[in-house]
Amino acid sequence: MKKVLVLNGPNLNLLGTREPQIYGRETLADVERLCQQTGAALGLEVTCRQSNHEGQLIDWLHEAGREIAAGPMIGVVMNPGAYTHTSIALHDAIKGAGVTLIEVHLSNVHAREPWRRHSYISPVARGVIAGLGLQGYVLGIEALTRL
Ligand code: DQA
């Protein structure tokens, strides 16, 4: 069975109560359940992880790169949270480890503050999905199966 890793970055553990007018009422557990259901329907093993720590996310990306190179993993769906706009280290990890990655944002980052329009992740992402809420994760997982 092929594998997909779903990574969520900082503050996404607060989903449900964090600015619900922007991010909705669904919790991280709801996101992860939906990803598991999507994986089950597509015959994929989906692992979901969340961290507020950049180094932890980098370690998981390195692991994913090794699994992609070895064959069992088809890619990563990642919502890097605010690290999207700040993290050269995540950019370098994705590039350096050779990770096939779909960047997902719940909100439409292009319709918000100007500084949310810049992403350090997009240049090393295979694709980018923004503004479609939880469906972005579903579409990201489906996209990985079609690449
Ligand atoms: C986000 C958008 C980011 O700008 C923000 O910092 C987040 C969440 C989104 O899912 O819309 O934490 O990635």
Side-chain angles (χ1 to χ4, degrees), residues 10-12 18 22-23 79-85 104-109 112-113 115-116 131 137:
N11 300 309
L12 291 161
R18 173 194 184 197
I22 295 174
Y23 298 115
N79 184 344
Y83 286 144
T84 305
H85 319 297
V104 170
H105 301 284
L106 293 156
S107 65
N108 179 355
V109 284
R112 299 179 62 193
E113 299 94 330
W115 46 265
R116 286 190 206 273
Y137 292 85

Side-chain angles (χ1 to χ4, degrees), residues 25-45:
R25 294 260 171 219
E26 284 103 342
T27 64
L28 181 63
D30 294 328
V31 171
E32 294 186 341
R33 195 174 313 114
L34 184 62
C35 290
Q36 295 293 353
Q37 285 166 359
T38 305
L42 294 168
L44 297 168
E45 183 186 319

Side-chain angles (χ1 to χ4, degrees), residues 35 43 58 64 109 120 147:
C35 290
I58 290 168
V109 284
Y120 280 103
L147 292 176

Side-chain angles (χ1 to χ4, degrees), residues 62-106:
H62 290 177
E63 261 175 47
R66 287 193 289 273
E67 289 204 65
I68 290 167
M73 186 171 285
I74 57 171
V76 176
V77 172
M78 182 173 196
N79 184 344
Y83 286 144
T84 305
H85 319 297
T86 63
S87 183
I88 297 169
L90 284 179
H91 170 112
D92 283 352
I94 295 159
K95 195 173 186 180
V99 178
T100 306
L101 183 135
I102 309 289
E103 176 185 347
V104 170
H105 301 284
L106 293 156

